[in-house]
Amino acid sequence: MKKNHFSLRRKASMLSAVAVGALLMSSCAQDGFDDGERWGSSVSGAALSSPTAESISISASADGAQTVISWPVVKGAGGYVCTVMDVTDSENPAVVDGIQDSLIDRCTMAVTRVVDHNYTFSIQTAGNDELNNTGAETATLVTFNSFTAALATIPEGSDITAFITDNPMPDEAVETEMAYDLVPGGQYTMSGIVDFGNKRVQLRTADRNNPATITMSADASISTSAGMSIKNVNFDCSASKDPFIAYSETPDESIMGVISGDQKYYDIQQSLLLENCQVTGVNSYFIYDNNVKYCLGTAIIRDCVVQLTGTESTAVIRFQGGYINDLTVENSTFWGVAGADANYFVQYNNSGRCDRGGYSTNSITYANCTFYNVAKSGQWGNYNGFAGRNTSYWNMTNCIFVDCGNNQVTRRFVGGRQNSSNRNFANNTYMFDGAFENTATYDDSGTNIEENPGFADPANGNFSITGSKQAQLGTGDPRWLPAN
């Protein structure tokens, strides 16, 4: 992004013609003005004004990685003094890409864009000594954000099932993700299955620090056959016997084979994202494909706490007909209450592998997670299609496993294959019934932490650690680390 701005504080009079030409890589034609219009040499001896808020255009780049900001030319200006701030944490605003009182020699710029953040942009027209033009007395300040556009805010106290039935996503959501907003701290119910079908939906509370809560009824479940994001929402599933997320039994036929070809998967190329959610009382599958041949390109579970209460022989994440090509669980906690168990943490159809789904590689990643009493008598993973292939990537770093996977977490993680290529283990704890797993043939990194993490009260979901080695290396879900 440095090529899109020049960090020179209020020194318009010092800009040489050579420096002016080098400020940005793109040509003058890109902003719609020729040199005469841009520099406005016919304007002299004037007091200039800053561009108005209404005239400033702010949009996301095509890949969503940048924010593009543009404004109309002010003739006779010596540039524009700009500042871009990330104000998501209002008490600790941060400068974006070093753009603070920076002289910009164009009418457009691009800066880093982080999803679900709030920003401000300040612009003040600089004077031009050569033309005897004085700069604007005041700057223009505009606010913007990187949140997905909201279709509607669901009123507090609503039944989510009824509201979405009455207010479905429009057809535009097939191509573009749209959001339903929940009221921060609001209480909601879900009386039955909510099936978003082929619409790309985000269900969220905008305030990360004050999530809304949804209480699920006996038949409640969330269903989709497209990409979906759930952010900053807590769920009480204790009354439900259905999966928390169940992919649609009747998927959109238009997605069959779009990248998997004659393998005929229902290809979901957009991600499933669960972020900053607390899900309690999961009695069935956490994620289930309803025995439909889905290939979900990417699933990310981040900053979540999931309480498992199921006692039947199930998997936590089950793709009976298909598989997830790239699964990442990070900065999260999964834990089972006393008596909870499952056959597997992750179970895919054994035919699932990257080349059949239209991808060049596949992966499973666990990073900085805490797992307690999960599939204690079962297996950590079952996905024979991944095992023993040099296109499979296995990443398990900075995690804590206590009473998980029948004391064979590492073996089942890599599909039972010793010396699997593309495996990355680091700083993990594997503790089972007070002893430590022998992992030498699977995790041979030599970094295992054989020290009791000393969870504060695991039976009641408090996994604050007292183990000095885990604290020193910062392993497990970061929320349980000692305060600095």
Side-chain angles (χ1 to χ4, degrees):
M1 253 85 57
K2 292 297 183 184
K3 69 181 181 181
N4 291 321
H5 71 274
F6 185 74
S7 205
L8 179 63
R9 297 174 183 269
R10 300 182 181 272
K11 295 184 179 179
S13 62
M14 297 178 63
L15 291 175
S16 67
V18 174
V20 167
L23 286 178
L24 288 173
M25 299 291 291
S26 54
S27 70
C28 295
Q30 289 179 301
D31 63 13
F33 302 101
D34 60 28
D35 285 341
E37 290 177 307
R38 188 159 163 262
W39 293 109
S41 57
S42 62
V43 177
S44 61
L48 305 177
S49 300
S50 298
T52 63
E54 295 75 18
S55 69
I56 297 169
S57 172
I58 298 176
S59 61
S61 61
D63 63 1
Q66 294 182 311
T67 297
V68 180
I69 306 172
S70 59
W71 55 90
V73 67
V74 177
K75 294 182 179 181
Y80 308 90
V81 180
C82 297
T83 298
V84 184
M85 302 292 293
D86 184 331
V87 294
T88 308
D89 182 351
S90 59
E91 296 183 359
N92 298 286
V95 177
V96 177
D97 291 347
I99 307 294
Q100 184 175 30
D101 293 337
S102 301
L103 188 68
I104 305 300
D105 173 43
R106 296 198 61 77
C107 294
T108 186
M109 62 189 295
V111 294
T112 299
R113 178 179 184 268
V114 179
V115 174
D116 294 349
H117 276 226
N118 294 307
Y119 298 94
T120 62
F121 171 63
S122 171
I123 182 170
Q124 186 170 5
T125 302
N128 187 321
D129 290 347
E130 292 182 5
L131 298 175
N132 195 31
N133 292 330
T134 58
E137 292 186 359
T138 60
T140 297
L141 180 70
V142 294
T143 61
F144 63 99
N145 63 62
S146 54
F147 288 87
T148 298
L151 172 70
T153 296
I154 303 178
E156 184 174 1
S158 296
D159 171 17
I160 302 292
T161 306
F163 182 91
I164 293 177
T165 298
D166 293 339
N167 300 274
M169 280 288 170
D171 291 341
E172 290 87 338
V174 173
E175 300 294 336
T176 302
E177 185 179 69
M178 301 181 71
Y180 291 107
D181 277 340
L182 303 177
V183 176
Q187 298 293 316
Y188 296 85
T189 59
M190 186 177 290
S191 62
I193 295 174
V194 174
D195 191 345
F196 294 118
N198 64 351
K199 306 298 172 50
R200 296 176 57 186
V201 173
Q202 183 175 133
L203 181 66
R204 71 184 181 203
T205 312
D207 186 347
R208 179 181 178 87
N209 297 315
N210 193 17
T213 298
I214 299 175
T215 300
M216 316 280 272
S217 72
D219 301 318
S221 184
I222 299 172
S223 187
T224 184
S225 61
M228 180 174 66
S229 300
I230 303 176
K231 299 182 179 182
N232 314 323
V233 184
N234 296 335
F235 295 86
D236 179 356
C237 301
S238 57
S240 176
K241 302 301 181 183
D242 288 346
F244 172 57
I245 293 175
Y247 278 81
S248 300
E249 294 181 274
T250 54
D252 181 354
E253 293 297 325
S254 70
I255 66 173
M256 176 184 279
V258 291
I259 62 172
S260 60
D262 60 9
Q263 293 293 326
K264 295 183 178 180
Y265 282 96
Y266 289 100
D267 297 318
I268 302 178
Q269 298 178 71
Q270 306 83 24
S271 299
L272 168 67
L273 173 62
L274 304 177
E275 184 173 85
N276 194 39
C277 297
Q278 293 198 34
V279 186
T280 58
V282 178
N283 294 306
S284 180
Y285 303 109
F286 184 61
I287 303 173
Y288 180 47
D289 71 351
N290 257 320
N291 197 21
V292 176
K293 194 177 180 181
Y294 284 104
C295 176
L296 174 59
T298 303
I300 300 171
I301 301 169
R302 177 189 298 140
D303 300 331
C304 293
V305 176
V306 180
Q307 180 201 53
L308 306 171
T309 53
T311 58
E312 299 178 0
S313 179
T314 61
V316 178
I317 299 173
R318 176 82 189 277
F319 273 63
Q320 187 175 355
Y323 77 104
I324 301 171
N325 195 69
D326 293 297
L327 169 66
T328 297
V329 185
E330 60 186 5
N331 299 344
S332 294
T333 298
F334 279 78
W335 68 286
V337 301
D341 207 353
N343 279 353
Y344 305 94
F345 181 65
V346 173
Q347 182 184 22
Y348 298 158
N349 187 290
N350 286 332
S351 66
R353 68 188 200 199
C354 60
D355 58 321
R356 291 171 176 164
Y359 298 89
S360 58
T361 62
N362 48 247
S363 67
I364 296 184
T365 298
Y366 302 103
N368 294 91
C369 289
T370 297
F371 299 98
Y372 173 77
N373 193 35
V374 178
K376 184 173 182 179
S377 67
Q379 300 179 18
W380 195 251
N382 183 31
Y383 23 69
N384 289 344
F386 284 24
R389 297 176 60 83
N390 61 12
T391 53
S392 297
Y393 286 77
W394 322 90
N395 302 292
M396 185 178 284
T397 57
N398 303 313
C399 290
I400 299 174
F401 298 86
V402 175
D403 294 342
C404 295
N406 200 19
N407 206 28
Q408 300 181 71
V409 169
T410 56
R411 175 190 171 194
R412 297 300 182 182
F413 173 59
V414 295
R417 304 297 180 91
Q418 298 182 23
N419 302 316
S420 296
S421 59
N422 305 322
R423 56 182 173 158
N424 176 33
F425 289 93
N427 304 324
N428 300 307
T429 299
Y430 313 101
M431 185 175 173
F432 193 88
D433 284 346
F436 295 96
E437 179 182 334
N438 181 1
T439 69
T441 55
Y442 302 100
D443 176 356
D444 58 357
S445 66
T447 63
N448 294 6
I449 302 174
E450 295 194 348
E451 179 177 330
N452 191 330
F455 295 146
D457 187 8
N460 292 298
N462 184 346
F463 301 98
S464 299
I465 62 174
T466 57
S468 60
K469 190 67 172 179
Q470 287 91 350
Q472 176 187 345
L473 294 177
T475 67
D477 184 339
R479 80 189 68 227
W480 308 117
L481 291 171
N484 293 330

